[in-house]
Structures are given as structure tokens and as C-alpha cells.
Amino acid sequence: MCYAICLKSDSRATVKFVNQLQHWVLILSNVTIIIILYNSIEAHDTLGRLGIPVANTYGTKKLPQAIIIGVKKGGTRALLEFLRVHPDVRALGAEPHFFDRFYDKGLEWYRNLMPRTLDGQITMEKTPSYFVTKETPSRLCAMNCDTKLIVVVRDPVTRAVSDYTQTLTKTPGLPSFRSLAFKNSSSGAVDASWSAVRIGLYAQHLENWLRHFPLSSFLFVSGERLVSDPAGEVGRVQDFLGLKRIVGDKHFYFNRTKGFPCLKKPEGSSRPRCLGKSKGRTHPPIPTEVLQKLRDFYRPFNLRFYQMSGQDFGWD
């Protein structure tokens, strides 16, 4: 109450008051920032984007306890973004490719890529090429054989077409899907050396992994169900990771234009968001007989994968 009188009658009191006020505002703002950081790691990223310097000392950088290891064009990016909504999941956004490309850089280099986490939070990353890289299982086990491994799988025929579509956008002069999928058009023999076909041989890749990890280390996520029932499939992942089921139906809406679910409120945003333009591309027309030959080719591999994983994904 007396401040109004003092400010009018004494200029020295005015200066003193302003100085004191600035002092307390500074203290209170610093306390506020500390409280924010203590309660929310995401606030650190927000403050950094705003250009506010904050000491990078909260939490610790840990090697990942769970990794999405595959597969390309299966839905790995969608799953990662869905999981990042969970407050107890901290995930590296970019694909580090440590176990298949940069292994010589060492584990400390890999650890330093990871986001900081508090006690009770899980560190994750995703690199879909891990699943099909021969050396990755032994290297990953050398780091930690108890790592939880998530594999998002999808009908291998649809996955191959999606893979081809992505490559076609980057290489417009690419040969036709038919010419790449078959060794020669007359024999109709599928060319399993073409990466778009080879990645879909899930049983063969899983055999390599099972030499180093027990089946209980894996969770196989259906790429199709991730589209039709994202909450249900993400719920399975939360259970596998030992997390409380927080991400659910309320977090998703279906975008009919893109043809897949989007987040109502993704991490670090208050606005709904779908995945980028590279997701949900329209596939080029592929002759029905070409697709049928591929389905016949994959059938025994699919059945073997169903047996190995203990799940029937219904691709046949």
C-alpha cells in the first residue's frame, strides 16, 4: 500500500524499489525454471528452442533399454512417435545406425546421442535396418543381452511395394517394380537379392537374431493393426516395456486423406500432427499377377515366421 505514496514522493525510493523488484523477479524466475526442469525434462528442450540458456545437468544419458529394430516401411516411425507421448519414454528422434554403420565409434559415442532421462524413464531408439543386418545381433548383445527388441512387421508384399515407392520418389528413372522383383520376366523367379524383397524374409532374419537373444526379448508389432487399432497395439508395447498404459484411444484420430492414424497431441506440441509427407504415399499400379507371384513366394516364409514368433499375422 505505501509503495504508491513512496514512489510519488521520493525518487530515491523509486529507484530502490525498482532495484529490489528486479532482484526478486530474477530470483523467482530462476526458481520457476528450476521447478519446471525438475518436473519436466521436455521443458529443457522448449527453453532451449526459445534461446533461454539452461544448465544441461538434469538426468543422465543411458544406453537404450529398448530398441525398435525393424522393419523398414513397416510403421517404425509411427510407433516411435506414438510412444514418445508417454511421459516415461525418452527416445532419440533420428536413426543412429550405431550397430550397422557406426559401430567403430564406440559405446560412449552411442550413449552421448541419447536423450537424458530421470529414474523410471526408458531410453529408446529406432533403426529399422538393424533387423536385416547380420552383425547387429551379436553387437547389440555385447552391449546388453537384456535389451528389449521391438519389430514392426507388415505384409511383405505391401511392404516391398511401399519400399519401391519410396525409392522411386528419390530416383525417378528407376526400372519397373516387375523388372526388379524378378530375375527375368520369362522364368518368373523372384530375385530375393533385391533389398525390397529380401527385407520381407522375416523368418530368415529372425533366425539370425535367435542365435543371440531368446524369443522373450522380442515383441512383434503388426503394422496393419498399428493403423487399424493404434491404441490396442501401442498398449501391447507399453505392457512389454513395463509401462503404465497411458497412451490410448484419446491420443489418436484417423486421417482419411492419409489413410492412417495421427496424434491429437504429439510430444512437445499442443496441436494435432500427422507424420510427414513421406508417409502415406500413393503406390504405383502393380500388375495383379506380379503381386500374386510374390505372395506365392513369401507364403512358406510367412508360415515359418508365424511359427517362430507365435503370432499369425494373416497375410495369406
Side-chain angles (χ1 to χ4, degrees), residues 60-62 90-92 111 113-117 123-124:
T60 55
K61 292 192 173 189
K62 300 174 185 176
R90 292 288 288 162
L92 182 64
R111 187 200 306 271
L113 295 177
M114 299 300 146
R116 291 177 178 271
T117 55
T123 303
M124 291 187 66

Side-chain angles (χ1 to χ4, degrees), residues 161-177 281-284:
V161 175
S162 181
D163 197 339
Y164 172 79
T165 304
Q166 182 182 57
T167 306
L168 187 63
T169 60
K170 300 175 182 178
T171 314
L174 197 67
S176 69
F177 183 88
R281 295 186 185 97
T282 301
H283 292 177

Side-chain angles (χ1 to χ4, degrees), residues 51-66:
I52 302 174
V54 182
N56 195 14
T57 57
Y58 66 88
T60 55
K61 292 192 173 189
K62 300 174 185 176
L63 292 169
Q65 298 101 332

Side-chain angles (χ1 to χ4, degrees), residues 8-71:
K8 290 180 179 179
S9 62
D10 190 344
S11 61
R12 287 176 298 177
T14 301
V15 173
K16 184 178 179 181
F17 170 71
V18 171
N19 287 339
Q20 289 178 336
L21 182 62
Q22 289 176 336
H23 174 72
W24 283 107
V25 167
L26 179 61
I27 291 175
L28 290 172
S29 64
N30 287 338
V31 170
T32 301
I33 289 175
I34 290 170
I35 292 172
I36 290 172
L37 288 175
Y38 181 80
N39 287 288
S40 175
I41 283 180
E42 285 75 13
H44 176 276
D45 301 328
T46 302
L47 291 170
R49 286 194 295 269
L50 293 173
I52 302 174
V54 182
N56 195 14
T57 57
Y58 66 88
T60 55
K61 292 192 173 189
K62 300 174 185 176
L63 292 169
Q65 298 101 332
I67 302 177
I68 301 174
I69 60 173
V71 297

